[in-house]
Amino acid sequence: MDSGVKKPGVTSSQVAEHAGVSQSAVSRTFTPGASISPKTRAKVLASAKILGYRPNAIARSLITSRSRIIAVVMAYLENLFYPDVLEELGRALAAENYHLLLFTGFMDRDSDPVFDQLMQYRVDGIILASTSLSSELSEECATAGIPVVLFNRTTERDAVSSVTTRNREGGKRIADFLVAGGHKSFGYIAGLENSSTNRDRQEGFMDGLAAHGFTEAIVETGNYSRSEAEDAARKMLSRPDRPEALFVANDHMAVAVMDVARYEFGLSIPEDLSIVGYDDVGPARWTSYGITSMSQPLKRMVEATVDILMDQIASGEIEAEHRILNGDLVVRSSARLPKTGIVALDGRKLYRPRDV
C-alpha cells in the first residue's frame, strides 16, 4: 500500500450496493437509536468493514473542504505535564486557525475504542499523547489522508509520525549525575513497562550505570500512577539494601516517592536518599519538593507536532516523520550534587558534564 497518497473515500451508496440494501438502511445503521433490523444491520456492518467505510471519516469532502478540527487523544491528565501540553497545543493550533477536540484514551493499551467516536467529527489530524492506535487503524488513517502524530511516544509504524525527546540519553545523563554525586547503590521506579518512553529511560539509565562499573540496580514498577508509585517506594525503601539514589521515571511519581520517603520512613532528602525525576513540571519546581529532573522542551515538542500535521494536511502526503529533541537535567535540591559539571543558564542550574 502506498501510504503517501490520499485515496478516495468509500461512500454510503457503495456500502448499500455491496450489502444489497437501501442507502437509508446504511444511514440508519450508523445512527444511534434508529430503527433497523439486526439482520440488515449485520449486513451493512460487514460490507462497511470489507470496504473500509466509516461515516464522515473517509469522505471525499476532506480533499476540498476541511473541518479544521484536530483530535487530541490523551490518557494521563493526572500527570501535570499533559495539561501543560494541552494548553500549549491549543495555542499553537489556534494560531493555524485550527480547533482542538479532546478525547480520553487509554494509557496501558491502544486507544482504538475512541476511534469511531472521534472520526465522526471528520477530523483533519490526530495527536496521540501517552497512548497509541493499532497498526490497522493507523493504516486506515493514512489511507484516508489523515495524519497521526504520537506525542512523547515513539513507533516503528510506517504511517505514524512521532515527536519525543532523547529519553535514552536522558536516562544515561541521570546515571552520570548520580554516580558523579558519589552514590554507590541505585534504584529505578519504572513507569508503564511497555511504553517506549519508559523503556528508553530505563535502558539509558542502566547503560549509564554499567559504563561506570555498576551492573545492578533495584527496579520496582509504578505504572505512572501515584498510588502504585507509593507502593513501589515502600517496597524499595523497606529493603535492608535500600539504594542511596533513585531515578523515578517521571515527576508525577517522584513526588509520591518523596512523600513516602519523608513522611513514612523519616528519611531526609538528599542526605539519606537522592531522588531524580523526569519531565520538569509542576511540583518538581516547588521549593517544598525541589526535584532534580530531566526536562522535556514542551513548547518545542508542540511546535514540532503542529508543524508535522500542517505539512501533511497541506500536502496530502502521509509519510512518517520522527523528530527527537534534546532536554536538560535541571538541578535542584533532591539529590546530592557532583563536584563538577553544574552550570548556571537562564536562571536555572543544569548538569552538563564536559563530554555532553
Side-chain angles (χ1 to χ4, degrees), residues 60-262:
R60 289 193 187 98
S61 61
L62 282 175
I63 299 174
T64 57
S65 177
R66 296 278 176 197
S67 67
R68 306 204 75 82
I69 294 173
I70 302 297
V72 177
V73 185
M74 283 191 173
Y76 191 20
L77 288 168
E78 183 181 12
N79 178 1
L80 292 180
F81 177 67
Y82 288 106
D84 287 350
V85 169
L86 193 60
E87 184 175 356
E88 195 62 40
L89 274 172
R91 291 197 191 100
L93 289 171
E96 299 288 345
N97 197 27
Y98 274 81
H99 305 287
L100 180 155
L101 190 61
L102 177 65
F103 295 85
T104 303
F106 303 93
M107 188 168 63
D108 58 348
R109 62 187 188 276
D110 290 337
S111 286
D112 291 14
V114 303
F115 184 75
D116 285 327
Q117 181 185 1
L118 71 86
M119 292 299 270
Q120 297 295 321
Y121 293 88
R122 293 171 47 192
V123 299
D124 293 344
I126 301 172
I127 299 170
L128 300 166
S130 69
T131 188
S132 60
L133 284 180
S134 66
S135 296
E136 181 183 65
L137 289 184
S138 299
E139 291 291 345
E140 187 169 339
C141 288
T143 302
I146 301 171
V148 178
V149 182
L150 294 184
F151 186 94
N152 202 30
R153 288 279 179 96
T154 57
T155 180
E156 302 298 324
R157 296 170 186 165
D158 292 338
V160 179
S161 298
S162 65
V163 175
T164 188
T165 54
R166 300 188 185 281
N167 288 292
R168 186 183 295 269
E169 289 83 348
K172 182 180 181 300
R173 182 84 58 87
I174 290 168
D176 293 341
F177 173 83
L178 292 174
V179 171
H183 303 90
K184 302 297 182 184
S185 57
F186 308 89
Y188 177 70
I189 295 185
L192 282 172
E193 293 180 298
N194 65 345
S195 76
S196 60
T197 50
N198 176 76
R199 181 185 65 243
D200 291 346
R201 290 171 191 179
Q202 182 171 356
E203 289 178 357
F205 183 59
M206 296 304 183
D207 289 348
L209 292 178
H212 293 283
F214 296 98
T215 57
E216 294 183 3
I218 302 167
V219 178
E220 296 287 351
T221 302
N223 285 319
Y224 293 137
S225 158
R226 180 180 174 89
S227 61
E228 292 187 58
E230 289 173 341
D231 290 340
R234 292 183 186 106
K235 291 178 184 177
M236 192 168 288
L237 299 180
S238 296
R239 296 174 62 106
D241 58 343
R242 183 185 74 211
E244 297 176 358
L246 300 182
F247 170 27
V248 187
N250 71 5
D251 291 342
H252 178 230
M253 293 195 299
V255 168
V257 171
M258 186 177 288
D259 285 345
V260 168
R262 290 194 296 194

